Amino acid sequence: MSTSTAELLKGAAELFPGEVVTQAHVRHLDLPSGVGRFALITLDNGLDHTKPTTFGPQSLANLNAAIDQVEKEAADGTVVGVGITGKPFIFAVGADLKGVELLGRHEDALAIGRGGHEVFKRIAALAVPTFAYYNGAAMGGGVEIGLHCQYRTVSAALPAFSLPEVFLGLVPGWGGCTLLPNLIGAERAVSVVIENSLNQNKQLKGVQVHELGIADAIFDGADFLEQSLIWTASVLKGELAVVRPEVDRGEAWDRAVERGRQIADSKVHGAAPAAYRALDIIAAVKDGDLQAGFDAEDRALADLIMGGELRSGIYAFNLVQRRAKRPAGAPDKSLARPVTKVGVVGAGLMASQLALLFLRRLEVPVVLTDIDQERVDKGVGYVHGEIDKLLLKSRINQDKANRLKGLVSGVLDKAEGFSDADFIIEAVFEEMGVKQKVFAEVEAVAPAHAILATNTSSLSVSEMASKLKHPERVVGFHFFNPVAILPLLEIVRGERTDDASLATAFGVAKKLKKSAVLVKDAPAFVVNRILTRFMGEIQNVIDEGTPVAVAERAVEPLGLPMSPLVLLELVGPAIGLHVSETLHGAFPDRFTVSGNLAAVVKAGKRGFYVYDSGKPELDPEVAALLQQGDVVLAEEQTRARVLDAVAQEIGLMLDEGVVAEAQDIDLCLLTGAGWPFHLGGITPYLDREGVSERVNGKRFLAPGVASVPA
């Protein structure tokens, strides 16, 4: 390592006094078959697997010191090889993002990139063969340190392996963009670096790591290191030759990069630079010039660290990983009551999805009720069918499948089904009178301690409970569709909901593995209120005269998972209309009810588009229904209108105390609506674009939160 980079790393370490420092322990062992003495470096931060090993500046310095030792041993012939592995269940998960957040100067960011490269390159330059043993979770820099080794093995039990940087707003900056395509080819590298990252940070399993050619051998988890060392001995003795396919450096490389650009365009629409910077580097290393690639990684890393998208990405990551696990305002968990049986009112698709989720996560009896036996049977049949699918995919074994099926049942009589239930959730038609009637029937037969939960998406929980003898046990428990995929659970406290009921709801949410956010009982809560205002403003612009295509393109720079009208199609125009009517009733000055949307619903259309060509095109029948004015806005004007409306609504929601802080708004949009990490949800983007101050006169977040420190 050069003196200047060592000094910069030392300076970076001083900026980050709170680093969880990783040690690099060197031990020596004799390889089998008399091959010789071997140096094994173990990366370990001294904590259990719940605190994964990371690389901050001091950790890189420790690794550098370990390499000093093995470099000397390799040079004088006292070791025949060097290996790197991790602590139990964890190999290493990359750079310590808490330190990245603190960086405020470009040169400090550049030091992190160069420091990682200079340390890792020393591994490749050792005078003996080098081996990485991916024994557990490996991400980012953890993957990259292994790429600098000559050989790699992977555990079949490895649960998560990825280069997630693009997902967060970075590039794999310690060799990932350069070494991976030169190892497995550009096509496969684009899948790992770009496609998987932009597909909600998809993780690879050990088997896939081996199949892709990243690892040269795969061994069972139980004796992984022992088998890896036996394999290492065979390689060093020359008994085993590692043969890798030749990398295609012709047109296939260019096609792979172009495919990556198409993926990036479809996901972020040019709104976030990280994917494009990563693809530029992959394109540039086609000729195998590794140092040029490393230099480009350093520059990209420093530029992106000093950009807003990365800060928003880290902010979003912290919300999902930390705040979601400690919900703001949740009561003391000791107040929660045990849940040993669950009742579900309804047996339609949503109710059946809920029954399946409760069954799989809680593994307690779940009983569904509905108005006739056919519906009940269909609901139970759905759950059984989904369990059979899990069995076919080997996600569960036959004993587990039989046990789960035995726990789910359906009855017509609520008294029979719910007399000993601890938690009863309704998923019936979204109409106040219907839900009040259902709760009155349930209260009459349920135990006194039972929680009565509603999956309402927009109706008042307090009003729903107002006619009950014990409204204190009613709580909003709003899931998002598809239930199995979207992690958000809006937990709504009614005016009279007590702490014990609320604590029980949060306890159940945790067992369901959902990200729970405490929400005030306000119209449409959080996600639906913001989305309805967002989509309502798009609809207003269309109704006033702006072409549909212009209105849709206007919000593409946000890089949302889908366009507003495609989202409307997914939600269902009738549901969208119903929610807009609910919110118009509550806030008539801000929420409109579109006559065009009402006409689309009346005509029985499923959405605005047809897909005859494979791409969404405005349905001619819908086009004929539209009645538009003569005010035509440009894309920039439309985007400003929409963002102003959203900023205003969020400001009002925070003033009303719908959630504790802006962070909860963002957590809801990230986990309930799939909004991109590079936006940080929404409030960092509104701050960064100056919309917050233009509309509300102030930022949502303090400077340095989801932004570069001043």
Side-chain angles (χ1 to χ4, degrees):
M1 179 185 289
S2 69
T3 303
S4 60
T5 303
E7 289 172 351
L8 282 170
L9 262 185
K10 182 181 178 184
E14 290 170 357
L15 290 173
F16 185 20
E19 176 183 355
V20 177
V21 177
T22 295
Q23 303 297 330
H25 303 290
V26 181
R27 64 186 175 107
H28 297 90
L29 44 90
D30 293 321
L31 289 174
S33 307
V35 172
R37 195 164 178 253
F38 188 78
L40 182 65
I41 299 172
T42 301
L43 305 170
D44 191 347
N45 61 7
L47 303 169
D48 67 18
H49 67 279
T50 63
K51 295 285 191 285
T53 302
T54 54
F55 296 116
Q58 184 57 52
S59 302
L60 286 174
N62 289 344
L63 177 61
N64 195 54
I67 296 171
D68 284 342
Q69 178 183 340
V70 298
E71 183 180 61
K72 184 175 184 299
E73 293 170 347
D76 64 20
T78 57
V79 297
V80 295
V82 174
I84 300 174
T85 192
K87 67 183 184 181
F89 310 110
I90 302 289
F91 183 77
V93 298
D96 191 322
L97 294 178
K98 293 193 296 297
V100 173
E101 285 180 276
L102 300 173
L103 298 175
R105 299 188 309 162
H106 193 275
E107 54 264 42
D108 292 330
L110 196 59
I112 292 295
R114 286 178 177 163
H117 270 132
E118 293 212 17
V119 174
F120 288 5
K121 281 193 301 182
R122 295 185 67 199
I123 298 167
L126 290 173
V128 293
T130 52
F131 299 79
Y133 306 131
Y134 290 124
N135 64 300
M139 299 172 199
V143 169
E144 290 169 304
I145 191 174
L147 296 178
H148 284 267
C149 294
Q150 195 172 345
Y151 303 99
R152 286 157 295 281
T153 67
V154 67
S155 167
L158 182 147
F161 183 104
S162 65
L163 289 169
E165 287 85 352
V166 166
F167 177 66
L168 293 171
L170 274 177
V171 298
W174 286 342
C177 293
T178 300
L179 295 174
L180 191 63
N182 279 286
L183 175 67
I184 62 174
E187 177 68 20
R188 289 179 168 185
V190 163
S191 294
V192 176
V193 174
I194 306 298
E195 189 170 22
N196 288 359
S197 282
L198 293 180
N199 187 18
Q200 293 299 306
N201 192 23
K202 179 182 176 184
Q203 300 292 314
L204 299 171
K205 306 289 188 187
V207 172
Q208 296 166 300
V209 174
H210 182 237
E211 289 172 348
L212 283 168
I214 299 172
D216 302 305
I218 184 168
F219 302 108
D220 287 340
D223 57 352
F224 168 70
L225 186 56
E226 180 185 355
Q227 292 301 318
S228 292
L229 292 170
I230 292 171
W231 180 85
T232 297
S234 297
V235 171
L236 291 174
K237 281 184 75 174
E239 296 173 350
L240 189 68
V242 174
V243 180
R244 301 180 183 126
E246 188 174 345
V247 171
D248 187 335
R249 299 182 185 278
E251 291 182 8
W253 193 291
D254 300 329
R255 286 196 303 271
V257 172
E258 181 54 35
R259 182 176 77 89
R261 296 195 193 283
Q262 291 171 2
I263 292 167
D265 286 343
S266 71
K267 294 290 188 179
V268 300
H269 308 284
Y276 302 98
R277 293 293 295 267
L279 287 163
D280 288 345
I281 298 168
I282 292 172
V285 298
K286 177 181 176 180
D287 61 359
D289 186 340
L290 301 186
Q291 187 55 52
F294 295 158
D295 291 342
E297 288 176 350
D298 287 341
R299 290 191 296 272
L301 204 62
D303 291 346
L304 292 167
I305 284 174
M306 299 310 294
E309 286 81 5
L310 171 67
R311 304 305 171 125
S312 294
I314 295 174
Y315 164 81
F317 181 80
N318 288 337
L319 290 181
V320 170
Q321 294 297 316
R322 297 179 197 160
R323 192 176 184 93
K325 292 170 183 172
R326 301 178 189 85
D332 190 324
K333 60 185 178 183
S334 67
L335 298 173
R337 294 190 285 263
V339 172
T340 59
K341 182 178 180 181
V342 173
V344 181
V345 185
L349 181 57
M350 188 66 177
S352 300
Q353 289 184 69
L354 295 180
L356 178 67
L357 179 68
F358 279 94
L359 183 67
R360 288 197 64 202
R361 298 294 189 216
L362 271 60
E363 295 189 23
V364 299
V366 176
V367 59
L368 298 98
T369 67
D370 214 313
I371 56 175
D372 59 55
Q373 192 64 46
E374 183 181 351
R375 295 184 196 210
V376 169
D377 292 344
K378 186 177 180 182
V380 173
Y382 169 88
V383 176
H384 282 192
E386 292 301 305
I387 292 169
D388 286 337
K389 288 179 187 177
L390 294 170
L391 180 62
L392 280 172
K393 293 176 183 176
S394 299
R395 301 271 297 278
I396 57 175
N397 60 29
Q398 187 66 60
D399 286 346
K400 180 83 170 276
N402 292 342
R403 188 166 76 253
L404 290 176
K405 284 183 179 181
L407 286 170
V408 66
S409 61
V411 296
L412 289 175
D413 184 359
K414 292 184 179 67
E416 178 186 347
F418 299 157
S419 63
D420 56 348
D422 306 302
F423 192 98
I424 302 163
I425 184 166
E426 67 77 22
V428 299
F429 185 67
E430 190 78 347
E431 202 278 317
M432 183 60 74
V434 174
K435 291 184 184 287
Q436 285 180 331
K437 180 174 181 291
V438 162
F439 270 162
E441 293 170 353
V442 171
E443 186 180 49
V445 298
H449 69 273
I451 304 299
L452 307 185
T454 170
N455 186 44
T456 183
S457 60
S458 61
L459 300 178
S460 168
V461 174
S462 301
E463 185 180 348
M464 211 176 293
S466 62
K467 297 183 179 180
L468 298 179
K469 294 176 183 175
H470 296 285
E472 69 277 1
R473 57 176 171 159
V474 176
V475 63
F477 214 64
H478 179 218
F479 291 87
F480 289 78
N481 211 357
V483 170
I485 296 173
L486 289 175
L488 179 63
L489 186 52
E490 291 180 336
I491 295 185
V492 186
R493 182 170 204 155
E495 290 175 5
R496 297 177 65 181
T497 306
D498 64 21
D499 282 353
S501 298
L502 203 61
T504 304
F506 274 101
V508 170
K510 186 173 183 179
K511 289 181 179 177
L512 294 176
K513 298 186 178 178
K514 293 297 183 184
S515 299
V517 175
L518 179 61
V519 180
K520 182 182 177 182
D521 187 17
F525 314 128
V526 176
V527 172
N528 285 342
R529 180 164 166 182
I530 293 171
L531 290 185
T532 303
R533 186 78 197 274
F534 173 79
M535 295 170 69
E537 204 59 40
I538 292 280
Q539 190 71 59
N540 289 342
V541 169
I542 292 170
D543 292 354
E544 290 167 14
T546 299
V548 169
V550 173
E552 289 269 81
R553 282 199 307 272
V555 293
E556 280 188 355
L558 275 72
L560 299 177
M562 62 189 74
S563 75
L565 294 184
V566 172
L567 175 60
L568 180 66
E569 188 174 307
L570 181 69
V571 171
I575 293 173
L577 179 65
H578 175 73
V579 176
S580 70
E581 288 170 341
T582 300
L583 282 162
H584 176 69
F587 310 114
D589 58 324
R590 301 194 309 279
F591 288 86
T592 56
V593 178
S594 167
N596 283 324
L597 179 57
V600 168
V601 173
K602 185 177 180 182
K605 306 300 292 186
R606 295 182 59 187
F608 277 62
Y609 294 130
V610 290
Y611 296 85
D612 298 337
S613 66
K615 295 182 179 180
E617 295 177 349
L618 187 62
D619 184 339
E621 294 180 12
V622 170
L625 291 172
L626 295 181
Q627 295 187 11
Q628 294 180 280
D630 56 7
V631 178
V632 180
L633 299 183
E635 290 177 23
E636 294 79 7
Q637 293 171 305
T638 299
R639 185 162 58 253
R641 274 260 308 257
V642 171
L643 293 177
D644 284 3
V646 170
Q648 181 194 33
E649 201 60 38
I650 293 171
L652 291 167
M653 291 167 70
L654 292 172
D655 290 344
E656 294 167 21
V658 175
V659 289
E661 294 180 290
Q663 284 87 336
D664 294 311
I665 297 276
D666 293 319
L667 181 57
C668 285
L669 288 174
L670 290 163
T671 56
W675 280 40
F677 265 47
H678 72 259
L679 293 188
I682 184 61
T683 68
Y685 178 80
L686 295 173
D687 285 349
R688 193 163 68 240
E689 296 296 311
V691 181
S692 310
E693 292 191 62
R694 183 172 74 235
V695 174
N696 299 321
K698 60 182 180 180
R699 297 167 57 95
F700 287 115
L701 302 169
V705 177
S707 59
V708 178

